[in-house]
Amino acid sequence: MDQAIADLAPEDQEASDRKSPDAAPSKAKSKKTASSSKTKPAAETPIGRVVCVSGSQIISLLEGDISQGSDAPGGGVQKGRMVKMLTPDSAVFGLVNGLSVPAPDKGSGDELAIIELEVLGEIDRDEVNGAATFKRGVSVFPALGDGVYLATPEDLSIVYGGNKSGAVRIGTIHQDKSLPASINPDDLLGKHFSVLGTTGSGKSCAVTLILQAILERHGNAHILLLDPHGEYSAAFGGRAELVDPSNLELPYWLLNFEEIEEIVLGAGQTLGERKEASGILREQIVGAKKRFRRDENGPPIMVDTPIPYSLSDLVASVDEAAGRLDKAESAAPFMRLKSRIQSLREDARFSFIFGGISVRDNMAKILSRLFRIPVDGKPVTIIDLSSVPTEILNVVVSVLGRLTFDFALWSDRAVPILLVCEEAHRYAPQDEGTGFGPAKRALARIAKEGRKYGVSLCVVSQRPSELSTEVLSQCNTVFALRMGNQKDQDFVRGALSDAALGLLDFLPSLRNAEAIAVGEGVSVPMRLCFDRLPDDHRPRSATADFSGAWQKDTESPDFLNSIVERWRRQKH
């Protein structure tokens, strides 16, 4: 394609003098007349003609005197604008990815002006009822000399309309603010989606708007939202179940061995010490589970089997095993393990995992609350992770991600679930040496296999370059908001498979609440502006008002006392 542009040299201008509308090739004119009687108004004027077709890319020469700027016939052509080309059976649509004048001629206006197009799809005619439908992909490409036209509002309505019967509105099209930007929930959720953008670009509002739009049509949804900053508590009003460490139940016996090992053993041990302690913990947990069930004829119990066991029995068992040893130094690993478990039981920050005296099998109740079964008017569960201890935050995300997948697996897709993961780069990082391995594997498993079992994943991140490619590449719909970091832009481009990557050139210049939407959940790649959320349904994600707050002094001692109290209680 680049070579084709280079070949349009100044010496070829005599041959290109046909670019005037009055001098357009008769062959192209006759073809347009024959092929477009069903698809375009007679008054439409071509802005150019096709001079090169290469794969999904097309080059067109602009018609008219471009020195007149926007007043010229082709002056309305801008990067990102949609155009169409006519074939005998269809109208082929493409996006303008580039404009250039290969050999500028100072002020004469008699020079070559070309546009580069990325083909999106075509509109043909339904033989039954004559209704126009847009289809991705192209069956017949335009021929050399065929005219290029600006897409009309009617064309844009058909192309961007998508599956109107199931589509839900989330905003407006940048090209024409009168046209709604819509998503198809089945395609969006069935193949995962991501919302990416720099801090302050409107990610949280975009996530809220997308979910609210879906909930308007599907009030019995099952959505689990992981909220690391406590932003979404007011976003869904009475339609959300709010859960934080003060009312969350995530008992230790629901954790698999990797997760309980990470919490109990922690850091600060040599590799040998950790390996020895891990072996002791594994053996004692299996024994505690067997003692709690007391059913010799039941299914075999493994260390990861999610059945209750008594923490007191576990401590007593560790103590008993240490007492059977001959040498005191041999009992040291057992004593350290016992001490660690006891300290966790006494730490109020871990009460949602190790709290409670009695042990009961309430797994069904826990799953009911997490996944909203029954929905009971609250299709969204918001897990506020802002006050979860930092050292176990990734473990909690691992548990919730794993429970989501396992529940869908064993429910046989009876209850499809959407897991929304804010700040996903923290839990599924690209760097293999960072993060908590099981958390990353839990999200990656949903990304790769969730579609088969009815689990959808929404990945939200401000640093896509730090997010695992294994996870992001499985998101077939991407809403990319403003990104100034070149590394993040390149990473998003590399993760997308859609044809219209030229739209991503707009990423650094997007305004707040604007996005490039690409993938299966939208009819075609588009630049859109999200609708504005009501003030009482906006996430609490706005930047602090420094200038306003610093205009007054805060002298009340009660102010500091309240901060200290919340700090100690670990609750907002």
Side-chain angles (χ1 to χ4, degrees):
M1 182 65 72
D2 293 338
Q3 183 61 43
I5 296 174
D7 289 342
L8 295 173
E11 54 266 25
D12 296 327
Q13 288 210 3
E14 182 177 353
S16 70
D17 286 341
R18 296 173 297 170
K19 63 184 178 184
S20 167
D22 296 332
S26 58
K27 176 181 177 182
K29 279 189 174 181
S30 62
K31 181 176 288 189
K32 282 176 254 177
T33 303
S35 65
S36 59
S37 60
K38 300 184 296 181
T39 58
K40 77 175 186 72
E44 284 188 13
T45 302
I47 62 169
R49 56 190 176 85
V50 175
V51 295
C52 178
V53 179
S54 176
S56 63
Q57 292 184 308
I58 291 176
I59 288 180
S60 167
L61 277 177
L62 278 179
E63 306 280 3
D65 184 358
I66 64 168
S67 66
Q68 300 176 29
S70 298
D71 295 330
V77 183
Q78 301 167 338
K79 186 174 174 64
R81 188 74 184 266
M82 185 171 289
V83 299
K84 68 180 178 182
M85 295 145 284
L86 303 171
T87 71
D89 299 312
S90 64
V92 177
F93 288 82
L95 286 179
V96 177
N97 275 351
L99 304 93
S100 63
V101 177
D105 187 355
K106 299 179 181 179
S108 72
D110 190 21
E111 56 193 2
L112 293 174
I114 64 174
I115 55 175
E116 301 169 53
L117 309 175
E118 193 79 32
V119 174
L120 298 178
E122 61 188 3
I123 291 178
D124 54 20
R125 289 292 179 173
D126 190 304
E127 296 295 330
V128 178
N129 55 25
T133 58
F134 177 79
K135 299 177 182 177
R136 290 196 182 194
V138 177
S139 58
V140 179
F141 280 84
L144 294 178
D146 278 353
V148 178
Y149 302 82
L150 289 176
T152 66
E154 292 77 13
D155 294 329
L156 296 177
S157 178
I158 296 171
V159 173
Y160 287 118
N163 180 7
K164 295 182 180 180
S165 62
V168 295
R169 172 186 170 130
I170 59 172
T172 57
I173 302 300
H174 176 74
Q175 288 192 44
D176 188 341
K177 294 297 192 295
S178 67
L179 295 177
S182 303
I183 55 173
N184 187 307
D186 282 336
D187 292 331
L188 182 76
L189 302 177
K191 298 178 182 178
H192 312 307
F193 68 102
S194 61
V195 181
L196 311 171
T198 190
T199 300
S201 60
K203 292 190 308 301
S204 300
C205 288
V207 171
T208 301
L209 187 67
I210 292 170
L211 296 183
Q212 286 186 352
I214 293 173
L215 291 175
E216 287 299 320
R217 291 279 189 92
H218 309 282
N220 290 319
H222 304 270
I223 301 173
L224 180 63
L225 194 158
L226 306 185
D227 182 8
H229 303 302
E231 298 177 341
Y232 292 91
S233 57
F236 300 95
R239 293 196 291 185
E241 176 80 0
L242 303 180
V243 181
D244 60 31
S246 69
N247 60 9
L248 172 63
E249 279 190 276
L250 206 63
Y252 57 88
W253 53 264
L254 266 181
L255 279 60
N256 66 21
F257 183 71
E258 285 183 300
E259 294 157 353
I260 193 69
E261 177 190 36
E262 179 70 14
I263 294 178
V264 172
L265 301 186
Q269 298 174 314
T270 65
L271 184 61
E273 289 174 340
R274 179 159 182 132
K275 185 176 181 181
E276 183 178 20
S278 177
I280 297 171
L281 182 62
R282 176 185 292 271
E283 180 181 355
Q284 300 305 324
I285 286 178
V286 173
K289 288 183 176 182
K290 290 180 178 179
R291 284 192 296 274
F292 186 88
R293 193 176 70 173
R294 298 188 182 90
D295 183 5
E296 299 294 336
N297 299 320
I301 294 178
M302 312 298 290
V303 71
D304 288 338
T305 305
I307 62 173
Y309 62 93
S310 169
L311 210 57
S312 297
D313 283 350
L314 178 63
V315 172
S317 179
V318 171
D319 204 18
E320 181 182 343
R324 292 196 297 266
L325 298 174
D326 296 334
K327 298 181 179 180
E329 57 268 22
S330 301
F334 291 85
M335 293 299 97
R336 284 196 297 266
L337 180 58
K338 175 184 174 181
S339 175
R340 176 62 176 166
I341 295 174
Q342 289 176 331
S343 66
L344 288 170
R345 296 180 69 180
E346 296 168 0
D347 192 333
R349 300 177 304 152
F350 298 89
S351 59
F352 65 96
I353 296 178
F354 297 101
I357 299 175
S358 61
V359 181
R360 62 188 188 279
D361 188 355
N362 59 343
M363 185 172 177
K365 179 182 177 182
I366 293 171
L367 296 177
S368 171
R369 189 182 187 202
L370 288 177
F371 304 128
R372 306 307 306 150
I373 303 172
V375 174
D376 195 24
K378 294 184 176 182
V380 182
T381 301
I382 299 174
I383 308 293
D384 184 352
L385 301 172
S386 59
S387 55
V388 171
T390 304
E391 58 266 37
I392 67 165
L393 178 59
N394 282 11
V395 175
V396 173
V397 172
S398 174
V399 176
L400 294 172
R402 181 177 53 79
L403 287 178
T404 301
F405 184 88
D406 287 347
F407 174 80
L409 173 65
W410 297 109
S411 67
D412 196 23
R413 300 199 298 183
V415 183
I417 297 171
L418 169 62
L419 176 64
V420 182
C421 188
E422 267 274 9
E423 299 285 356
H425 58 276
R426 295 171 57 178
Y427 318 118
Q430 176 71 4
D431 187 351
E432 294 292 340
T434 60
F436 179 52
K440 181 177 179 178
R441 290 199 298 271
L443 296 181
R445 191 180 186 194
I446 293 175
K448 291 187 290 187
E449 304 177 41
R451 180 181 61 85
K452 305 173 186 175
Y453 303 106
V455 184
S456 181
L457 181 65
C458 169
V459 172
V460 187
S461 176
Q462 61 180 318
R463 293 308 306 267
S465 61
E466 297 178 6
L467 178 63
S468 168
T469 309
E470 188 178 20
V471 173
L472 183 57
S473 63
Q474 297 295 326
C475 296
N476 282 23
T477 305
V478 174
F479 297 91
L481 289 88
R482 184 175 64 253
M483 288 183 209
N485 185 287
Q486 187 63 46
K487 187 176 180 181
D488 289 334
Q489 295 176 35
D490 293 341
F491 188 82
V492 172
R493 285 189 180 90
L496 294 179
S497 59
D498 206 287
L501 294 179
L503 279 175
L504 296 182
D505 292 338
F506 290 107
L507 287 180
S509 59
L510 292 176
R511 295 178 294 179
N512 285 357
E514 280 192 346
I516 304 300
V518 183
E520 298 292 333
V522 292
S523 56
V524 292
M526 63 178 74
R527 179 177 175 179
L528 63 88
C529 181
F530 288 105
D531 288 334
R532 179 176 174 81
L533 288 167
D535 289 340
D536 58 344
H537 283 76
R538 296 175 68 85
R540 193 178 62 185
S541 57
T543 304
D545 181 12
F546 284 84
S547 59
W550 286 355
Q551 293 298 317
K552 58 184 179 180
D553 192 8
T554 306
E555 299 179 352
S556 171
D558 293 336
F559 174 71
L560 282 177
N561 291 336
S562 64
I563 292 177
V564 171
E565 183 181 356
R566 291 197 303 270
W567 196 335
R568 287 172 175 168
R569 289 190 295 114
Q570 297 286 302
K571 182 179 179 182
H572 289 284

